[in-house]
Amino acid sequence: MSRIKTCVEAIYEGVDSVASRMPAMPVSEVLLVRLLMLTAGALLREFEVKLKPYGLNDSDFRTLMMLYSSEDGTATPGRLCLLAEQKPTNMTRIANALAKRDLISRSHATHDRRQVVLRITPAGRRFVAKMLPPLFPSLVESFACFSAAERKTFERLLKKLALHIDPLVDPDATP
Amino acid sequence: MSRIKTCVEAIYEGVDSVASRMPAMPVSEVLLVRLLMLTAGALLREFEVKLKPYGLNDSDFRTLMMLYSSEDGTATPGRLCLLAEQKPTNMTRIANALAKRDLISRSHATHDRRQVVLRITPAGRRFVAKMLPPLFPSLVESFACFSAAERKTFERLLKKLALHIDPLVDPDATP
DNA sequence: GGCTAATAGTTCGCTAGTGAACTATCAGGC
DNA sequence: GCCTGATAGTTCACTAGCGAACTATTAGCC
């Protein structure tokens, strides 16, 4: 029996079993959140296996891609933290690692000397251009079970959910 | 500007920017996987904030719940690894932590002395019964943006996706 | 019965990520 | 100009999780 299938079955059985003893449990919500985390976790792990040969994990990769896709190839650690859902501590480590490999460079902003400016290097751009295409096939395969309509629906629901939980997850943020 | 909304926008803009330079990129798939990971990550973090007062993280919690919902309140570490998507190493640590708090007990199986049997204790059952209900409201609120039909659709698509990626993620498993 | 291979857990050393404390710089009121 | 508070990053000590190596036990084969 394969792993994820076993997990899916265990989730349904476990939720069913607990619900019979605890009728107040919101069955539908528990199933959704468990399936969501299981699927995302599996996809993340699969993706990181693909990234490993390049010496990156998903956080490193996201950070590098944010710089790659930015207008002028630069960003501050603070902004990257915001966009990549990372804490400053970890961004420091990521930037150190990427800088050590000369994929990005570090400098100080002139107008505000507290800020650090990270910039993707030409070598960093070449690296991304080379490593990105081989990642596509397995990604396409992962979602091959969806029709175009299903893909659209799934995207719409995910986006709706993401924006809905935003204020719940981060109640102090400016709305 | 709140955090997740910024991330969602950054994902769409980033993908758009890269796609213009790299036409082979499967835009739809990249958006789906990024939204999925972002949403699941946010829900996980929110959930762990709720679990923290009880001194548990999500893995500890899942492990305890697997025992709680099992027929006789027992399971072997190996089975829990399979069901909770954990590695044996980590399960040892989790079992140590739960056993230290007397929420579970450890003993050896008689028919196969290699196997360890973990069993939820009466105190463990009381603990679960007490901590579980307070977790429900925020979980319900997280999915309050979905109609009943949307919830069903989302569950169906998640399940379909989970089962589809199963053999891709774990190619060595027995089908 | 005794050797070999496989299986269940554990230990160890490492990577990834976090909160709290710290440094450096900037902005605003006086 | 100069104190006060806020902001941007960094460092440090810690937790969570992983792969590889190890131990103990079992199953199969001769």
Side-chain angles (χ1 to χ4, degrees), chain A residues 12 29 34 141 151 155, chain B residues 12 29 58 151 155 164:
Chain A
Y12 276 85
E29 283 85 351
R34 277 299 158 210
E141 180 51 41
R151 221 169 300 191
E155 184 186 332
Chain B
Y12 277 85
E29 284 83 352
D58 188 52
R151 222 168 300 191
E155 183 185 333
H164 172 74

Side-chain angles (χ1 to χ4, degrees), chain B residues 160-174:
Chain B
K160 186 176 189 174
L161 180 59
L163 296 178
H164 172 74
I165 61 176
D166 193 345
L168 309 177
V169 170
D170 191 17
D172 297 326
T174 320

Side-chain angles (χ1 to χ4, degrees), chain B residues 96-150:
Chain B
N96 283 342
L98 294 177
K100 194 169 183 179
R101 296 174 62 182
D102 288 319
L103 299 175
I104 68 173
S105 70
R106 252 202 182 93
S107 60
H108 274 277
T110 50
H111 63 287
D112 183 345
R113 290 179 38 74
R114 287 170 304 182
Q115 289 189 329
V116 168
V117 175
L118 303 178
R119 179 188 307 271
I120 188 168
T121 61
R125 287 196 184 277
R126 284 195 300 274
F127 178 77
V128 170
K130 191 176 165 189
M131 71 168 291
L132 217 44
L135 298 174
F136 297 158
S138 76
L139 187 56
V140 170
E141 179 51 40
S142 293
F143 290 95
C145 60
F146 283 168
S147 69
E150 283 176 331

Side-chain angles (χ1 to χ4, degrees), chain A residues 155-170, chain B residues 1-9 12 35 38-39 42 142 145-146:
Chain A
E155 184 186 332
R156 182 178 63 79
L157 293 175
L158 271 176
K159 199 171 164 185
K160 186 175 188 174
L161 180 59
L163 296 179
H164 172 73
I165 61 176
D166 193 345
L168 308 176
V169 170
D170 191 18
Chain B
M1 188 65 73
S2 46
R3 286 228 310 272
I4 296 181
K5 183 149 182 273
T6 311
C7 288
V8 171
E9 288 165 2
Y12 277 85
L35 284 175
L38 174 66
T39 310
S142 293
C145 60
F146 283 168

Side-chain angles (χ1 to χ4, degrees), chain A residues 1-8 10-15 17-18 21-22 24-26 28-40 42-47 58 61-62 65-66 68-70 79 82-85 87 125 128-129 132-133 136 138-147 150-151 153-170 173-175, chain B residues 1-8 10-15 17-18 21-22 24-26 28-40 42-47 58 61-62 65-66 68-70 79 82-85 87 125 128-129 132-133 136 138-147 150-151 153-170 173-175:
Chain A
M1 188 64 72
S2 44
R3 284 229 310 274
I4 296 183
K5 183 149 183 272
T6 311
C7 287
V8 171
I11 289 172
Y12 276 85
E13 286 166 20
V15 167
S17 159
V18 175
R21 274 173 284 174
M22 208 173 277
M25 187 170 74
S28 161
E29 283 85 351
V30 173
L31 287 176
L32 285 180
V33 78
R34 277 299 158 210
L35 284 175
L36 187 59
M37 288 179 185
L38 174 66
T39 311
L43 283 169
L44 176 61
R45 240 166 294 166
E46 187 198 7
F47 189 54
D58 188 51
F61 174 73
R62 280 209 319 272
M65 288 310 295
M66 285 294 171
Y68 182 81
S69 65
S70 104
R79 179 156 175 77
L82 191 69
L83 302 184
E85 285 276 88
K87 306 289 175 191
R125 287 194 184 277
V128 170
L132 217 44
F136 297 156
S138 76
L139 188 57
V140 170
E141 180 51 41
S142 293
F143 291 95
C145 61
F146 283 168
S147 69
E150 283 176 330
R151 221 169 300 191
T153 302
F154 197 57
E155 184 186 332
R156 182 178 63 79
L157 293 175
L158 271 176
K159 199 171 164 185
K160 186 175 188 174
L161 180 59
L163 296 179
H164 172 73
I165 61 176
D166 193 345
L168 308 176
V169 170
D170 191 18
T174 319
Chain B
M1 188 65 73
S2 46
R3 286 228 310 272
I4 296 181
K5 183 149 182 273
T6 311
C7 288
V8 171
I11 288 171
Y12 277 85
E13 286 166 20
V15 167
S17 159
V18 175
R21 274 173 282 174
M22 209 173 276
M25 187 170 74
S28 161
E29 284 83 352
V30 173
L31 287 176
L32 285 179
V33 78
R34 278 297 158 211
L35 284 175
L36 186 60
M37 288 180 185
L38 174 66
T39 310
L43 283 169
L44 176 60
R45 240 165 293 166
E46 187 199 7
F47 189 54
D58 188 52
F61 174 73
R62 280 209 317 272
M65 288 309 296
M66 285 295 171
Y68 183 81
S69 65
S70 105
R79 179 155 176 75
L82 191 69
L83 302 185
E85 285 275 87
K87 306 290 173 189
R125 287 196 184 277
V128 170
L132 217 44
F136 297 158
S138 76
L139 187 56
V140 170
E141 179 51 40
S142 293
F143 290 95
C145 60
F146 283 168
S147 69
E150 283 176 331
R151 222 168 300 191
T153 302
F154 196 57
E155 183 185 333
R156 183 178 63 78
L157 294 175
L158 271 175
K159 199 170 164 184
K160 186 176 189 174
L161 180 59
L163 296 178
H164 172 74
I165 61 176
D166 193 345
L168 309 177
V169 170
D170 191 17
T174 320

